[in-house]
Amino acid sequence: MSAVRNVLLFHSPTSVRSWRDDLARALPEFDVVDSLDGIAPERVAAAVVWRYPPGLLQSLTRLRLIQVLGAGVDHVVADDRLPPGVPVARLVDESLSRCMSLYVAMQAIALHRREPELRRAQLEGRWTYIHPRHPSKTCVGVMGLGVLGLDCARTLLGLGFTVAGWSRTPKPDLGFPSLAGGDGLEEFQRQVDCYVLLLPITPATERIVDRTFLARAKPGATLINVGRGGLVDDDALVEALDGDRLGHAVLDVFRTEPLPAGHRFWRHPRITITPHNSSGTDPATALVQVVANVRRALAGERPENLVDLSRGY
Ligand code: OXD
């Protein structure tokens, strides 16, 4: 009688298509499936997922690992029907960080060089000379100093920007000034010309960019949100942009994704929208660690980059 093979469930609507086949090749001891139809739930030993429908994993009582195919795990934290006690790991991948840092650098340079104003001038056929400024004249404030935030901060420093960091808890010896907690936030805001949001979304960070925050921003400050849509109070953001408090916002993440047709952000002259593509996972670099983590979990060892579900990241 042949032994029943373990199943690996792959679910990721936005990943490059080769992920599933690459996993199947790298883990020949598994049946890799992208649907649970016809699969006995007790055969599923590992799930590699990104933005799956809540409840998808509920019946998988023999699951040994939930490997998230991205840095943020909010969709797993929000799933109140997870099988109990299954370790959840997120991806920490150099190429994911690099890709994010390049996006943030591109947008920070564009904002620093006032590209949105130049673009508007072009559309209106106006020659508008804006004298270039040295990047050190712009302080980019990175909020969230995890792996992605630190990589962005260091990339921006390398480009000559002045960089300040903020995190909920103090992070010593980063090589650039950083502040922490509610007390540190006001002092941080006194310095910042361009905010970069890279915080995880938790009850403590939900709507951290609210009316109070925006009222304290330097006039004309700009914002790049590559964290999560829920970090920002959308009404307060539009008010701040309309009232000239904020100069421009670059948004890659939204409360509802895809951003619904007709949403007021689409046509706002001071909002730049990208479709949550600031970064992404690439099997060329991330497959090795996903495979190693699956094998670790199956061997009863501790997977790497585990998430604390009670903390939310
Ligand atoms: C992530 C993302 O969290 O792409 O990795 O949003």
Side-chain angles (χ1 to χ4, degrees):
M1 209 176 72
S2 62
V4 177
R5 282 163 57 81
N6 279 327
V7 168
L8 182 147
L9 171 67
F10 175 77
H11 179 99
S12 178
T14 58
S15 291
V16 291
R17 296 188 79 79
S18 66
W19 255 111
R20 181 184 172 284
D21 296 340
D22 289 338
L23 278 169
R25 259 192 301 277
L27 288 165
E29 66 275 37
F30 281 82
D31 287 337
V32 177
V33 300
D34 51 20
S35 154
L36 291 173
D37 289 351
I39 302 287
E42 61 279 6
R43 284 186 60 207
V44 184
V48 176
V49 289
W50 178 247
R51 299 216 177 260
Y52 64 89
L56 177 74
L57 310 177
Q58 186 173 23
S59 64
L60 309 181
T61 49
R62 279 198 54 244
L63 211 49
R64 311 279 284 276
L65 176 68
I66 299 170
Q67 172 69 56
V68 177
L69 220 43
V73 293
D74 41 303
H75 60 295
V76 184
V77 175
D79 182 0
D80 58 6
R81 285 174 284 157
L82 284 179
V86 182
V88 178
R90 72 193 192 96
L91 210 64
V92 175
D93 176 41
E94 202 188 312
S95 124
L96 185 84
S97 306
R98 201 81 297 265
C99 194
M100 176 61 84
S101 295
L102 286 180
Y103 176 95
V104 168
M106 166 180 84
Q107 301 295 1
I109 292 171
L111 293 170
H112 164 75
R113 295 294 295 260
R114 295 170 56 188
E115 196 275 340
E117 281 165 70
L118 292 172
R119 176 95 191 118
R120 266 197 300 276
Q122 180 186 339
L123 289 174
E124 290 162 14
R126 276 187 290 110
W127 181 270
T128 302
Y129 180 81
I130 298 177
H131 195 72
R133 293 183 332 139
H134 195 271
S136 62
K137 298 264 184 335
T138 293
C139 174
V140 186
V142 179
M143 299 182 70
L145 300 172
V147 176
L148 293 178
L150 282 180
D151 199 80
C152 280
R154 291 180 179 139
T155 302
L156 292 162
L157 278 171
L159 289 169
F161 284 104
T162 298
V163 173
W166 183 86
S167 50
R168 292 221 321 117
T169 51
K171 303 260 156 100
D173 306 329
L174 298 176
F176 57 89
S178 85
L179 290 147
D183 296 343
L185 191 55
E186 284 193 33
E187 192 183 330
F188 171 76
Q189 286 203 257
R190 275 195 284 277
Q191 303 166 34
V192 173
D193 301 298
C194 172
Y195 294 92
V196 176
L197 304 184
L198 264 167
L199 291 159
I201 185 89
T202 69
T205 60
E206 165 84 31
R207 286 192 167 79
I208 191 164
V209 177
D210 61 4
R211 285 196 174 81
T212 311
F213 180 102
L214 291 165
R216 278 200 305 248
K218 284 191 192 177
T222 55
L223 177 97
I224 302 170
N225 188 7
V226 276
R228 286 293 178 261
L231 296 170
V232 175
D233 176 333
D234 290 353
D235 291 336
L237 177 70
V238 171
E239 265 171 44
L241 290 165
D242 289 346
D244 283 343
R245 159 68 39 187
L246 215 56
H248 199 87
V250 174
L251 306 177
D252 184 55
V253 286
F254 306 89
R255 285 176 182 273
T256 306
E257 292 181 11
L259 187 65
H263 191 287
R264 60 192 158 154
F265 285 174
W266 279 116
R267 292 191 174 278
H268 198 290
R270 289 186 165 183
I271 294 181
T272 298
I273 288 173
T274 55
H276 198 150
N277 73 343
S278 51
S279 190
T281 58
D282 180 354
T285 57
L287 182 70
V288 174
Q289 71 166 280
V290 171
V291 167
N293 245 10
V294 169
R295 292 216 167 107
R296 242 178 239 124
L298 269 282
E301 293 162 21
R302 187 182 158 81
E304 287 190 343
N305 303 317
L306 282 181
V307 168
D308 178 349
L309 286 182
S310 64
R311 210 171 51 161
Y313 57 97

